[in-house]
Amino acid sequence: MENVFDEIRSRVSMRDVAKFYGLQMNHSGMARCPFHDDRTPSLKVYDDHFYCFGCGATGDCTGFTAKLFGIPQIEAAKKISYDFGLNLFNGEIAVSVNPRLKSENDFHVWLRNANLAVSEYLSKLNEWRKIYAPKNQWEQLHPLFVESLKRTDYVEYLSDLLAHGSDKEKKLYYKENGNDIKKIQERLEKLAAEVRPVKRKAI
Ligand SMILES: [Zn+2]
């Protein structure tokens, strides 16, 4: 079975594997690195390997999967084979991932999403505060201005926690209020859907 890693490399791309296991890449293939506390996208996903300019993590798709789930290379190969239907191990599936590592990984995925969502939402709130500020006392308050008034304090607190909090504090928040991040993500998705330009019919 020594060629199993080559076989995997030839049949699935690094990009597909990264995407399948939840890495969010931008259009140029950059993503926030799940292997260090990455504030800007420093990890580049190439066709056949990845490299993090922040922490130096690198490897092929099997190496990525092994690192991400905290499992040995051979188990990562089995996992990819199973998840992508490659049938390289006669239907054998990866040993179950150590539950502690699994939840550790869930936390890191959550943290990555939280960093992204909070910084995007906070910059929108700050923007709205300026551009939708009422010009006189009679003007009705713009709903986005009101949202900014209501939400900025909490989102600033979150941003501060994510940037300067200890791992313990972040984990506690994740456990007790982790869903708030999901709500922020949903809000951002809704906003993105709203601003999508509507095509006008030519008259
Ligand atoms: Zn890194």
Side-chain angles (χ1 to χ4, degrees), residues 89-109:
F89 295 89
N90 300 323
E92 198 183 340
I93 61 165
V95 290
S96 67
V97 174
N98 179 325
R100 196 190 67 80
L101 288 170
K102 171 77 174 74
S103 79
E104 190 73 5
N105 183 55
D106 284 350
F107 169 69
H108 282 286
V109 170

Side-chain angles (χ1 to χ4, degrees), residues 33-36 38 42-43 52-57:
C33 176
F35 309 122
H36 78 277
D38 195 7
S42 335
L43 185 143
C52 173
F53 294 93
C55 70

Side-chain angles (χ1 to χ4, degrees), residues 27-97:
H27 51 90
S28 48
M30 297 296 293
R32 290 203 180 195
C33 176
F35 309 122
H36 78 277
D37 190 7
D38 195 7
R39 309 270 310 152
T40 55
S42 335
L43 185 143
K44 170 96 177 163
V45 176
Y46 300 90
D47 274 344
D48 59 345
H49 73 289
F50 72 96
Y51 178 72
C52 173
F53 294 93
C55 70
T58 184
D60 65 0
C61 55
T62 309
F64 175 85
T65 307
K67 239 171 129 55
L68 189 67
F69 292 96
I71 53 179
Q73 294 267 345
I74 190 69
E75 296 303 329
K78 286 179 196 169
K79 180 164 177 56
I80 294 174
S81 169
Y82 181 78
D83 289 340
F84 286 82
L86 306 181
N87 247 327
L88 298 173
F89 295 89
N90 300 323
E92 198 183 340
I93 61 165
V95 290
S96 67
V97 174

